[in-house]
């Protein structure tokens, strides 16, 4: 509740459900289970987003079409912004029929109507590239933009005469001039219409550098200038001296997203934090951020990466944003309950150890309401005949998965032995 309607931008690099990605929560998901997994998290994400917020999801072809339909259902088809194709790899897979070179990035607004009215807020900064001042216009450097647009509009169909050559121009079939005739005359009188560098071409309209900087530049749906997965891997290798995380995202990709979707001080959320690229980039760009991750590598990879960011590491986008270090972050964990048994089961390497864990589970754990402890003992001989992997699966099935961690509402129960300091912090975190 503390962050409901407070998040400006959510970026998540979700498990692609390919069976071979870095998603370690389960060995693999079937299609319907994956969609339920995503639905639960996206419904919460929508509640957290500000009314002027946006959500970005990286996904590959395996689930993109189904995720798009799910997103239409949750965020509303009318709030779909774009499917941005990121040219994520430059290499070619010679064994493929067609070598995949892209990753999808589905973009949705909390409210499309807000951005229709405030479209200049969703822009990339425009630089001086292509701007000059050949006619010494007092308004400064400018660039000639096309004066013709697609679509037939009856009030924007008229003849334009080149004053130098006398040649008459009309819009191409199915096209229109950018403005009606009255507005065109005003632009011409204001020295905003030019006819090419030599004056003998079709009409164009001046766009001044000052206007470009103020309005920004419209992003396109094809991104091939924000790094690749190879670049991202090299960024991790530079930080840690070796490759310790598969399929990270390059910092330049996240920088582009945060530049479009946020300003300094905004809150960014990544609830599939992984190697911490989103948090690292948000930190360098002076955004606030929240990251959530349930895998153990958060301690050895993600946290250590953010420490290096605070220390002023010079990789990724550091030079581009003049990053030299500073700042802080808070890291906290959930209080484990049945999760302790999960980790013991996963670490067990023989049946005797699993039998001891089973006894502890029955004695002090939280067994699923579907299971009677007496039935477990009655099936012990069958249990011993199972392979080690199936014994582990069996014990996992016994646990109540709703009690992997201590619920906030239960933390005052003496049975869970939550310290007064942790209770105080938890109350401040949840703002209650």
């Amino acid at each position: 509740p503390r962050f409901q309607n407070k998040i400006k931008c959510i970026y998540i690099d979700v498990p692609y459900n390919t069976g071979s990605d870095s998603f370690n929560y389960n060995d693999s998901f079937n299609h319907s289970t994956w969609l339920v997994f995503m639905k639960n998290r996206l419904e919460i994400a929508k509640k957290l987003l500000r009314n002027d917020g946006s959500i970005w999801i990286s996904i590959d072809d395996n689930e993109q079409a189904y995720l798009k339909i799910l997103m239409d259902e949750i965020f509303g088809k009318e709030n779909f912004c774009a499917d941005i194709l990121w040219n994520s790899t430059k290499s070619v897979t010679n064994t493929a029929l067609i070598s995949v070179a892209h990753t999808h990035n589905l973009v949705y607004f909390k409210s499309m109507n807000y951005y229709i009215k405030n479209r200049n807020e969703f822009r990339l900064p425009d630089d001086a590239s292509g701007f000059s001042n050949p006619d010494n216009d007092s308004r400064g450097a400018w660039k000639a933009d096309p004066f013709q647009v697609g679509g037939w509009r009856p009030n924007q169909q008229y003849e334009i005469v080149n004053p130098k050559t006398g040649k008459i121009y009309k819009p191409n079939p199915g096209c229109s001039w950018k403005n009606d005739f009255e507005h065109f005359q005003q632009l011409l009188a204001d020295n905003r219409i030019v006819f090419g560098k030599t004056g003998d071409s079709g009409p164009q309209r001046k766009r001044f550098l000052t206007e470009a900087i103020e309005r920004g530049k419209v992003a396109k749906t094809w991104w091939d200038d924000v790094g690749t997965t190879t670049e991202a891997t090299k960024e991790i290798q530079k930080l840690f001296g070796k490759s310790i995380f598969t399929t990270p995202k390059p910092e330049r990709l996240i920088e582009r997203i945060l530049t479009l979707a946020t300003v300094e001080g905004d809150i960014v959320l990544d609830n599939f934090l992984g190697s911490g690229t989103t948090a690292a980039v948000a930190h360098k760009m002076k955004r606030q951020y929240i990251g959530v991750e349930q895998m153990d590598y958060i301690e050895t990879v993600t946290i250590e990466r953010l420490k290096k960011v605070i220390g002023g590491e010079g990789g990724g986008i550091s030079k581009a944003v003049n990053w030299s270090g500073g700042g802080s972050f808070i890291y906290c964990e959930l209080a484990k309950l049945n999760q302790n048994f999960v980790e013991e089961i996963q670490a067990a390497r023989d049946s005797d150890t699993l039998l001891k864990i089973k006894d502890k589970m029955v004695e002090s754990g939280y067994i699923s309401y579907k299971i009677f402890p007496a039935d477990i003992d009655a099936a012990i001989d069958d249990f011993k005949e199972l392979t080690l992997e199936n014994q582990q699966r069996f014990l996992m099935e016994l646990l109540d998965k709703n009690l992997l961690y201590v619920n906030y509402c239960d933390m005052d129960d003496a049975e869970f032995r939550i310290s007064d300091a942790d209770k105080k912090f938890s109350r401040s975190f949840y703002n209650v």
Side-chain angles (χ1 to χ4, degrees), residues 30-261:
N30 62 41
H31 176 66
S32 60
T33 305
W34 185 87
L35 285 171
V36 172
F37 171 89
M38 289 303 305
K39 182 175 184 288
N40 293 337
R41 285 150 181 78
L42 292 174
E43 287 174 341
I44 295 173
K46 184 179 180 182
K47 293 179 181 179
L48 293 171
L49 268 185
R50 283 168 34 173
N51 288 333
D52 60 349
S54 60
I55 180 169
W56 306 64
I57 304 183
S58 291
I59 192 71
D60 73 356
D61 288 331
N62 195 53
E63 293 286 3
Q64 179 272 337
Y66 304 99
L67 180 61
K68 170 68 167 61
I69 293 172
L70 180 62
M71 295 285 288
D72 284 347
E73 176 186 331
I74 295 173
F75 286 88
K77 190 175 182 180
E78 69 279 5
N79 291 315
F80 172 67
C81 174
D83 178 7
I84 294 174
L85 296 180
W86 165 44
N87 186 194
S88 51
T89 179
K90 306 293 185 181
S91 61
V92 175
T93 303
N94 291 321
T95 57
L97 295 175
I98 296 179
S99 184
V100 177
H102 69 276
T103 297
H104 297 271
N105 289 274
L106 296 178
V107 186
Y108 282 77
F109 292 124
K110 181 76 168 283
S111 171
M112 176 65 81
N113 287 333
Y114 173 86
Y115 279 100
I116 289 174
K117 297 174 183 177
N118 302 276
R119 63 182 68 246
N120 285 347
E121 292 185 18
F122 202 74
R123 293 287 190 270
L124 296 171
D126 207 340
D127 56 26
S129 176
F131 286 86
S132 61
N133 194 3
D135 60 350
N136 295 316
D137 195 306
S138 61
R139 291 164 289 192
W142 53 270
K143 180 188 290 186
D145 288 341
F147 193 61
Q148 190 170 207
V149 295
W152 194 89
R153 300 173 181 85
N155 64 330
Q156 289 164 225
Q157 303 289 323
Y158 49 88
E159 295 181 346
I160 293 178
V161 180
N162 186 319
K164 180 180 178 181
T165 64
K167 184 175 181 179
I168 298 174
Y169 295 93
K170 296 180 180 180
N172 293 331
C175 296
S176 303
W177 296 127
K178 190 168 284 187
N179 302 107
D180 59 32
F181 186 65
E182 183 179 353
H183 194 178
F184 165 75
Q185 289 179 309
Q186 293 172 356
L187 292 171
L188 186 64
D190 194 31
N191 189 28
R192 282 179 172 261
I193 298 296
V194 293
F195 293 85
K197 292 182 179 180
T198 60
D200 55 4
S201 300
Q204 296 172 296
R205 188 171 70 176
K206 286 183 177 180
R207 175 164 55 98
F208 291 98
L209 178 59
T210 52
E211 297 171 331
I213 292 174
E214 180 181 349
R215 296 176 184 173
K217 182 169 60 176
V218 176
K220 296 182 179 180
T221 56
W222 174 248
W223 290 5
D224 61 354
D225 58 347
V226 291
T228 62
T229 53
T230 299
E231 178 177 310
T233 300
K234 289 179 179 178
E235 288 173 352
I236 295 294
Q237 289 174 335
K238 183 177 179 181
L239 284 173
F240 294 96
K242 58 182 179 179
S243 180
I244 58 175
F245 193 88
T246 57
T247 64
K249 294 296 179 286
E251 291 196 4
R252 287 197 288 160
L253 171 67
I254 307 303
E255 179 195 22
R256 172 71 57 82
I257 292 171
L258 298 190
T259 298
L260 272 169

Side-chain angles (χ1 to χ4, degrees), residues 337-338 341 358-367 415:
L337 200 56
N338 272 354
F341 287 117
K358 184 269 297 180
D359 291 338
K360 282 198 300 181
M361 285 170 50
V362 173
E363 180 181 349
S364 61
Y366 292 87
I367 304 300
E415 178 183 1

